Amino acid sequence: MRKSGFRDGCPITTVLLELAPKNRGVAEAGRKAYASRIDVIKSKLITDGFSPIRAERIAILCVATLQGVLIQARVERSGTPIETAADELAKLLEAKSMA
């Protein structure tokens, strides 16, 4: 994002914010895109020992956090929100592996 002057981010979110409320096809494509991201993270978390239910909940948290910090980074013109969120999510995940 820094290289683009914080103009680049997640194209999925930008398109969905504008088009999904008016277009069911776009909304469905967005649901599928997010579900795919969640499934990738969920699968990795299950492999790492999380229960399927907990893995899905954490995966949703991760995707939601990523989307939020991308917007925040663009507004603030700073990578700090992304770095902070990544550090905190990592700590949460590491705490589980130590338990």
Side-chain angles (χ1 to χ4, degrees):
M1 288 186 79
R2 280 191 183 101
K3 289 181 183 181
S4 71
F6 294 93
R7 288 184 308 274
D8 294 343
C10 179
I12 295 169
T13 300
T14 304
V15 170
L16 290 175
L17 287 172
E18 293 297 320
L19 300 177
K22 302 172 200 164
N23 186 310
R24 288 183 187 194
V26 170
E28 180 60 25
R31 279 191 290 278
K32 288 179 181 178
Y34 283 121
S36 177
R37 287 179 170 194
I38 289 166
D39 284 344
V40 168
I41 297 169
K42 177 183 173 182
S43 293
K44 175 61 175 143
L45 291 169
I46 290 170
T47 299
D48 288 347
F50 288 84
S51 72
I53 292 171
R54 187 75 178 132
E56 182 168 18
R57 294 177 64 88
I58 293 170
I60 291 168
L61 173 65
C62 289
V63 170
T65 300
L66 175 61
Q67 295 310 307
V69 298
L70 288 175
I71 293 167
Q72 191 175 352
R74 286 182 78 180
V75 170
E76 293 182 14
R77 299 183 58 76
S78 169
T80 300
I82 297 168
E83 294 161 0
T84 300
D87 287 346
E88 291 303 319
L89 285 173
K91 288 176 187 173
L92 289 172
L93 294 171
E94 288 169 3
K96 179 349 183 156
S97 67
M98 289 197 227

